[in-house]
Structures are given as C-alpha cells and as structure tokens.
Amino acid sequence: MPRNKAQIKRIGVLTGGGDAPGLNAVIRAVVKVAVREYGLSIIGFIDGFGGLIENRARRMAEKDVVGILPRGGTILGTTNRDNPFHYPVKEDGKIVYKDISGQVMDNIASQGIDALIIIGGDGSLKIALELWKRYNLPVIGVPKTIDNDIAATDRTFGFDTALTTATEAIDKLHTTAESHHRVMVLEVMGRYAGWIALHSGVAGGADVILIPEIPFTIEKVCEKITERKKAGKHFSIVVVAEGAVPVGGQVVVKKVVEGSFEPLRLGGIGSVVAEQIEERTGIETRVTILGHLQRGGSPTPFDRILATRFGAAAVNFLMEGRYGEMVCLRTPDIGSVPLAEATGAMRCVPLGSDLVRAAREMGISFGD
Ligand code: F6P
C-alpha cells in the first residue's frame, strides 16, 4: 500500500461544470479506493462549487456508490457557475463580483477535510489551481468534458460516449437523406474544438465536416454537394461543429450567460449552413441539432474504464503528496501534470493529424 505522506484522513470530492458520462464512475472509484486502500472518510459536495460555497455536503460510503457505474450525469449534482473567486453578489440593486474563497476555506475546515478532488473542465480546474496556489489546499484535478479539449491529457472521459451518440445520429440521418434525396446537416457540440465533429463525421461517413480549426467557405461546401449530385449521389451528410466559423467570420452565439464558466453559449451555425446550402444548390436541406443528447446516457466501456482509472489515480496521487496536479492520460499510462500547465490552454484538432489527412484522402470536404 502506498504511504499516506500527508496523513490525510478525510477527503472532499465535487463535480463542477457541465455533466459528462463517466462522472459517476470517477466518484465510485474515488470512494472505493479511498475507503478500501486508505481507510479515508469522504465528503461529497452537492452541486459543484455551489455546495462548497454554501457548505452543502454529504458523507459518502461504499453503499452510496452502488449501481452508479452505468449511470450518466453525476450523483453529486453540478453547475457551471459559482466561481468562489468571482462570485456574483447583489449590492445596492447591482450585481458585483466578489472573492468569497475565504468562506470556502472555512467550509472545508468545518467539514474536517484535508484534501479535495475536483472533477471538472477548464473552469473547475482553474478554481482548483487557485485553491492550491492561494491556500496551499491539497487538491488534485480530474479532467472531464465531452469536448476532449483539455490540454495535457490525450483524452477526457465523456468524449467517447458523446462520439458514439453523434455517430448513431449520423447513421440514422443517412436513412432520410438517401430516401428523400436531401442534404442532412447535423450540428454537434464541442465548443471551440472539432473533436466530436471530426471523429463522428469520419465514423459516420459524412461528406462534409466543418470544424473550428478549419474555417470554411459555403462555396466549397456546396461544391462538394454538387459534385456528389453530378456523380449520381443525390444526398449528402454535413456534420458541423457548434464552433465552426466561416473564413473571416465569427462563431454563432445563441446567448451570453453572465457568471457562467463559459459565458458564450454557442449554437445555430447548423441552421445558417443548411439555409445557405438549400439556397445555393436547390437541394432540400434539413438541420438536426443534437444538443444535450450528447451529454446524456450510459457511458461507453471506454469512458467507464478511463473514468475509473482517473478516479483511482486521483486518490493514489493525493496520498503520494502530488498536490496541485491534474491526472491525465499519457497513452497507455495514467500520469499527472501541474494544474498550471493543464489549464488555460486548449487542445484543438491538429491540422496535420493522420485522421484529418485520411478524411481528406477519402474525399471528405472540410469546406476549405
Ligand atoms: O463543454 C461541454 C458542452 O456540452 C459544450 O460542448 C457545449 O457548448 C456546452 O457544454 C453547453 O453547455 P450548457 O449545458 O451550459 O448549455
């Protein structure tokens, strides 16, 4: 058994940011390893940083994690707001942002917690880093997001499940596309990275894939569709990442949400592209926005395994005194990197990757 360097007796755990399939598998691994390997007690904060700020928490034992491995979402609840270093408070009828991290530290002390495991995306990991830097609180981060866009890890859990859902959607859209001779546009999530669009597009046999990393022109998109029609293929499948941008253009923003970890809510590019395709090619074009279906459902075996490895490693690394770090996948191993290196930098699709090249060689258009 690894030595408990820090004499840690009780750990806290929370899930922050948008939910992703596999969160429960991490929680389960954290609880089981903490109890079985180290005899620790565990406190779970409810609703992410909201629970940490308001001291809403519950004791977690092995019995609390029974049966949660195949369940999507998070049994602890989550929010993508409530940054304690930038917390909205009403003063004289106006919202002002304050640093209430001292209150969070008081809550952690009142729970008798010696170390904290924060499972989240970039916004949550930045808060973890601040708690470590400012207060020396032993923290370890676990990277989570369906977008797969966190630097310093080869994969985040949640991505594989989202990709599977998106691929199934493309398979189903093929039916109507072929039968009705239509262009079917599928808008997928991913924020400013094109991982979900690229991987599902290739896996589902899309004809056009638009990703944020490769600005597109509508002329090139329509060229591909028209070329297919001339070759006797009277339908096309276009996969558009929500963060895709036309050359010289901007991302399409659905809403600005103040106080959120990610204030710009993206969405709508699929409809813009679909309208332009129909107008220019004369082919009936329909759009499907996959939305939160990508975040839901039971995690795939890959995500369950990665999440379990991350959760177990998070506890082990804490007990080895590797604070201020984030667990990561360095294929084939699980390792850790300083949170400072892991946050702030985004992992985008490398344009020279073999998958982009293979897609091009297979005749898939990126609209460029
Ligand atoms: O980061 C995960 C993600 O699902 C993005 O792909 C998407 O842009 C965003 O979250 C949606 O967030 P919300 O659920 O807050 O609308």
Side-chain angles (χ1 to χ4, degrees):
M1 185 191 294
R3 236 176 78 231
N4 181 351
K5 275 198 183 159
Q7 297 308 309
I8 289 170
K9 301 262 179 343
R10 176 173 288 183
I11 60 170
V13 60
L14 70 82
T15 51
D19 66 331
L23 281 169
N24 284 327
V26 181
I27 296 169
R28 175 175 173 270
V30 164
V31 171
K32 279 180 169 276
V33 174
V35 170
R36 286 168 175 259
E37 274 293 299
Y38 303 98
L40 303 178
S41 68
I42 303 119
I43 300 290
F45 285 97
I46 310 297
D47 298 337
F49 292 97
L52 201 55
I53 289 166
E54 293 158 12
N55 211 1
R56 286 185 288 119
R58 63 183 242 213
R59 288 289 292 268
M60 309 267 302
E62 276 198 84
K63 68 173 172 40
D64 298 309
V65 296
V66 172
I68 68 171
L69 184 60
R71 275 170 60 185
T74 159
I75 59 163
L76 287 173
T78 188
T79 66
N80 42 17
R81 311 180 295 275
D82 302 332
N83 179 350
F85 295 96
H86 188 71
Y87 190 73
V89 180
K90 217 173 195 177
E91 264 184 15
D92 303 329
K94 269 203 223 140
I95 298 287
V96 289
Y97 287 87
K98 296 216 158 169
D99 180 347
I100 58 160
S101 55
Q103 179 181 323
V104 159
M105 292 308 295
D106 290 345
N107 293 341
I108 288 172
S110 79
Q111 297 282 354
I113 287 170
D114 306 305
L116 191 58
I117 294 176
I118 294 179
I119 312 163
D122 195 59
S124 305
L125 296 171
K126 277 184 186 145
I127 298 171
L129 174 62
E130 263 326 284
L131 290 171
W132 161 240
K133 274 199 327 202
R134 182 99 63 97
Y135 297 103
N136 248 348
L137 176 73
V139 292
I140 192 130
V142 178
K144 159 255 45 160
T145 168
I146 65 162
D147 303 336
N148 199 35
D149 63 349
I150 296 183
T153 183
D154 293 350
R155 268 288 173 105
T156 52
F157 65 85
F159 171 66
D160 190 65
T161 308
L163 163 64
T164 303
T165 301
T167 304
E168 282 168 9
I170 298 170
D171 289 348
K172 287 181 177 165
L173 288 174
H174 261 100
T175 315
T176 307
E178 284 187 58
S179 308
H180 287 260
H181 313 303
R182 287 178 183 166
V183 175
M184 301 299 269
V185 175
L186 178 70
E187 180 182 306
V188 296
M189 285 184 165
R191 216 132 9 211
Y192 303 102
W195 295 104
I196 299 177
L198 174 65
H199 282 240
S200 65
V202 171
D207 307 297
V208 179
I209 301 174
L210 304 180
I211 59 175
E213 293 85 347
I214 307 177
F216 67 92
T217 66
I218 199 67
E219 290 80 9
K220 285 283 176 192
V221 172
C222 293
E223 206 174 275
K224 174 72 194 172
I225 293 165
T226 313
E227 179 195 299
R228 278 176 57 79
K229 193 179 171 185
K230 278 192 197 140
K233 296 166 185 163
H234 294 279
F235 72 94
S236 289
I237 301 284
V238 180
V239 178
V240 189
E242 61 180 2
V245 278
V247 172
Q250 301 280 323
V251 284
V252 179
V253 175
K254 203 169 5 173
K255 197 174 174 181
V256 179
V257 192
E258 289 302 338
S260 169
F261 291 171
E262 288 285 347
L264 298 189
R265 194 176 289 168
L266 304 185
I269 183 72
S271 307
V272 173
V273 166
E275 238 172 72
Q276 293 179 349
I277 292 173
E278 185 166 289
E279 211 176 272
R280 285 167 182 262
T281 63
I283 305 174
E284 185 172 353
T285 304
R286 300 295 184 92
V287 63
T288 300
I289 297 166
L290 203 48
H292 291 84
L293 289 176
Q294 291 158 99
R295 294 231 300 257
S298 185
T300 58
F302 181 92
D303 280 339
R304 293 181 200 190
I305 292 165
L306 183 61
T308 298
R309 294 172 79 195
F310 277 176
V315 178
N316 286 322
F317 292 170
L318 261 188
M319 302 313 272
E320 288 167 20
R322 284 155 77 165
Y323 309 142
E325 308 236 316
M326 180 191 87
V327 300
C328 61
L329 177 67
R330 286 270 184 258
T331 312
D333 301 315
I334 300 294
S336 69
V337 279
L339 277 165
E341 267 175 42
T343 53
M346 223 173 48
R347 205 169 80 89
C348 291
V349 171
L351 297 186
S353 75
D354 70 285
L355 187 56
V356 171
R357 183 173 168 188
R360 288 191 191 281
E361 289 170 350
M362 299 281 293
I364 296 173
S365 165
F366 288 92
D368 61 338

